[in-house]
Structures are given as C-alpha cells and as structure tokens.
Amino acid sequence: MAEHRTMQRSALLDAARSLLSEGGTEALTFPALAERTGLARSSVYEYFRSRGAVVEELCAVDFPVWAAEVEDAMAAAGTAEGKVEAYVRQQLTLVGDRRHRAVVAISASELDAGAREKIRAAHGGLVTMIGDALRDLGHEQPRLAAMMLQGVVDAAVRRLELGGAAEDPAVITEAAVSMALRGVRG
C-alpha cells in the first residue's frame, strides 16, 4: 500500500511538472492534476492540502537536483572565470529540462513562505559557490555581484522562454555568458 501511495504521489508530481512547464502556475489546479493522473479530485487532496503544498514538494525534490547539476558544472571548471561561465551556461542548458521548466515557473510565481524558504536553501549553496568565484575575480562585494549575475541569468531564461519569438537559444546563451564575463562591453 505504501508503495502504491509513493507511485501516486510521484505521478502527481510529474503531472504538476508538466502543467507548470506548459502553462505556469495558473495551469496547476487540482482538477487538472486529477485529470492528468486519472485520480479523483478528492484523492489529490489526500496527498496535498493545497497548490502551495504541491509547489513546496516540487521545490524540495527538484531544486536540489537542479542546483547539484549547476554545482557539478562549476566544480569541473578550473578557473574562477570558468566557474562563472559554467554557472551561467548550465542554468541556461537546464531550461530545456522539464524539471527545470517547472523550477522556472515556480520561481516566477507567488509562493508561500515555506516554498520560498526551500528555494532559498537550495540556492544558498550556489550563491556561496558563485560568490567565492566572484571574490577570486576581485569583486569587493561578491554577494551583490552574485545577485546581479543571477539577474542576467534570469533575463536570459525569460528570453529562452519566448521560444521562436526571441533570438536563437545559442545566441541568447552566448550573450548571457559575455555579459557575465565582460559586462556591457561585450
């Protein structure tokens, strides 16, 4: 029975990822989750008390995986500049990944304090790592620089999310890397 419940919970999270990546947080509703999984709506409530609870669980499951992939890419880079480049590139590479698309939709939405705290915790290790690389590059305020750098990544993610309406993904990625490493001088 416990295994069956685990499978249903997993199916609900998968359905939530799909709904988020297709239509953002507005698309994540209990009727839609029930329809996607073939469960009765009342059954969905047995697993999650609210939409916020679904989002919170996705954060707890997906953010650490996503953050670990970015950390691995940074750890593989030999130089501080290489770590900054890996930080930008890996996040933009993950935009095409369904889990990351859900993460992007979650990040853009109104979240309750619990979900925000889980996101902050998952991002904490990344901010520390990128802060260290920025300090090594000579930044006097590495935490502020890290926040600015993440702003560049977030802007690039929004461009990528536009799909055919924006530039080619490779062009967007190169522009973000250039902005991260060389500022507006390009």
Side-chain angles (χ1 to χ4, degrees):
M1 183 65 195
E3 191 177 314
H4 179 68
R5 285 190 64 79
T6 303
M7 282 173 58
Q8 285 193 328
R9 186 176 208 88
S10 180
L12 283 164
L13 289 175
D14 262 345
R17 280 185 197 97
S18 293
L19 290 165
L20 282 165
S21 63
E22 289 161 22
T25 43
E26 301 77 43
L28 180 61
T29 65
F30 277 32
L33 283 172
E35 189 180 320
R36 286 279 167 107
T37 55
L39 292 170
R41 198 183 311 181
S42 58
S43 297
V44 177
Y45 282 100
E46 287 175 31
Y47 292 91
F48 299 104
R49 68 188 182 285
S50 65
R51 248 171 36 143
V54 177
V55 168
E56 201 170 318
E57 182 138 345
L58 275 177
C59 290
V61 172
D62 291 355
F63 262 97
V65 173
W66 173 81
E69 289 180 34
V70 176
E71 283 186 20
D72 289 348
M74 288 174 65
T79 63
E81 193 166 287
K83 287 182 191 314
V84 171
E85 181 169 346
Y87 177 83
V88 174
R89 275 191 197 284
Q90 189 62 27
Q91 287 190 68
L92 298 181
T93 298
L94 290 170
V95 173
D97 179 300
R98 222 168 51 114
R99 268 177 334 199
H100 183 65
R101 287 184 58 77
V103 164
V104 171
I106 290 166
S107 299
S109 69
E110 288 303 308
L111 298 174
D112 64 30
R116 272 199 309 274
E117 196 44 56
K118 284 194 170 66
I119 291 173
R120 250 196 304 278
H123 268 285
L126 280 181
V127 171
T128 300
M129 282 186 79
I130 198 61
D132 291 346
L134 293 166
R135 188 176 298 106
D136 292 347
L137 285 173
H139 277 278
E140 290 175 18
Q141 293 189 303
R143 191 160 177 81
L144 175 60
M147 296 304 162
M148 299 296 190
L149 176 60
Q150 188 58 46
V152 169
V153 173
D154 293 343
V157 166
R158 284 192 297 278
R159 289 304 290 175
L160 290 169
E161 292 285 301
L162 292 172
E167 302 78 9
D168 183 83
V171 170
I172 295 168
T173 298
E174 293 314 313
V177 168
S178 176
M179 181 70 74
L181 296 178
R182 290 176 282 288
V184 293
R185 285 193 308 276

